[in-house]
Amino acid sequence: MIPSYLSNLFEKQSYNPDNFFLIAGPCVVEGEELVMEIADKVSKICRRLEIPYVFKASYRKANRTNAASFTGLGDSVGLDLIKKVGDTFQLPTTSDIHAHEEAAEAAKYIDILQIPAFLCRQTDLLIAAAETGKIVNVKKGQFLNGPSMKFAVEKIQKAGNNKVMLTERGNFFGYQDLVVDYRNIPWMSEHGVPVIMDCTHSLQQPNQTSGVTGGNPNLITTIAKAAIATGADGLFIETHPNPAVALSDGANMLHLSKLENLLEQLVRVRKAVI
């Protein structure tokens, strides 16, 4: 069930309330043409399938492995373009923030503040996000289990904001891989908040000696189907028309041409399990 604070964001969309919701877009804002193309295509697919949709793109990537990696076009440019996408296609939007001083500024442009997994225990960041009054989506740390995320939820709620979501994105397994423990989906649901499956970053292969994170996007379908079957309320999927030339996380992203077929399958899975 989508809570009212989330369904209110979808009031300009026609959707089936029994469907999962989708958070999707490129990893980072690379330029206006790209974000507009992706938002246009994904929103049309979601309208046809009656899936509520949130556009996602990072206005700045602050956690790159290699110091030479692309981090963004500049905060104001990135935020302006995300807001333009939301206004043009009548979509709610989200992006990640990395420090408490970013929260208030980002909240002027986006509807959902996303907290990166590595920062899910940063109290000042969680409180600053909460104080904006926006929905706060906290990614579960790769080093935590679902039950322990109650403390992140409590920090936000005690700051006066009950609009919280949690995202599962896998746990460290060895040194260069992640594994998804699907028990975390029902465990995090017990905290009384919507739970999202990050189908992109749960397939990362971090800590590569090349300085570029690897990935296994051919398993996105598997991750997504299992997440729906185990009760996820939403899915997070980064997508790009040409992942091979993407400026961030190209090794993890789903090719945009494959998204429609995947969502069609997932709608059928959802109908089978509700």
Side-chain angles (χ1 to χ4, degrees), residues 83-125:
K83 187 176 188 303
K84 185 172 183 178
V85 166
D87 292 343
T88 301
F89 298 100
Q90 297 295 286
L91 296 172
T93 59
T94 186
S95 189
D96 24 23
I97 59 172
H98 301 85
H100 67 276
E101 59 267 22
E102 295 178 35
E105 184 63 21
K108 298 175 183 177
Y109 297 84
I110 60 179
D111 301 289
I112 301 172
L113 299 178
Q114 180 175 286
I115 308 299
F118 280 129
L119 301 176
C120 68
R121 295 180 62 183
Q122 295 298 110
T123 301
D124 61 344
L125 176 59

Side-chain angles (χ1 to χ4, degrees), residues 52-88:
Y53 172 43
V54 178
F55 175 81
K56 180 270 168 186
S58 295
Y59 66 89
R60 172 156 53 93
K61 299 297 292 184
N63 55 349
R64 304 307 306 274
T65 301
N66 192 319
S69 295
F70 178 76
T71 58
L73 300 172
D75 291 2
S76 60
V77 174
L79 286 166
D80 279 339
L81 287 175
I82 294 171
K83 187 176 188 303
K84 185 172 183 178
V85 166
D87 292 343
T88 301

Side-chain angles (χ1 to χ4, degrees), residues 75-213:
D75 291 2
S76 60
V77 174
L79 286 166
D80 279 339
L81 287 175
I82 294 171
K83 187 176 188 303
K84 185 172 183 178
V85 166
D87 292 343
T88 301
F89 298 100
Q90 297 295 286
L91 296 172
T93 59
T94 186
S95 189
D96 24 23
I97 59 172
H98 301 85
H100 67 276
E101 59 267 22
E102 295 178 35
E105 184 63 21
K108 298 175 183 177
Y109 297 84
I110 60 179
D111 301 289
I112 301 172
L113 299 178
Q114 180 175 286
I115 308 299
F118 280 129
L119 301 176
C120 68
R121 295 180 62 183
Q122 295 298 110
T123 301
D124 61 344
L125 176 59
L126 294 174
I127 291 175
E131 289 177 343
T132 67
K134 297 286 186 172
I135 298 172
V136 184
N137 177 25
V138 187
K139 288 195 173 185
K140 180 182 69 61
Q142 301 92 323
F143 42 86
L144 296 174
N145 62 12
S148 65
M149 288 300 291
K150 71 176 183 178
F151 300 108
V153 174
E154 288 174 354
K155 288 176 183 178
I156 295 167
Q157 292 176 337
K158 287 180 179 179
N161 188 339
N162 291 315
K163 297 181 286 188
V164 189
M165 305 192 297
L166 295 176
T167 295
E168 163 63 22
R169 52 97 73 236
N171 286 83
F172 283 129
F173 180 74
Y175 291 95
Q176 294 177 319
D177 210 352
L178 297 169
V179 65
V180 176
D181 181 349
Y182 284 96
R183 296 177 298 176
N184 285 320
I185 292 177
W187 278 340
M188 290 196 292
S189 293
E190 292 176 1
H191 303 319
V193 300
V195 176
I196 301 154
M197 182 72 228
D198 183 342
C199 303
T200 298
H201 297 96
S202 59
L203 290 167
Q204 278 186 330
Q205 294 174 327
N207 306 319
Q208 300 294 317
T209 57
S210 65
V212 178
T213 298

Side-chain angles (χ1 to χ4, degrees), residues 229-247:
T230 49
D233 301 291
L235 297 176
F236 177 108
I237 300 174
E238 288 184 342
T239 185
H240 195 284
N242 188 358
V245 301
L247 299 180

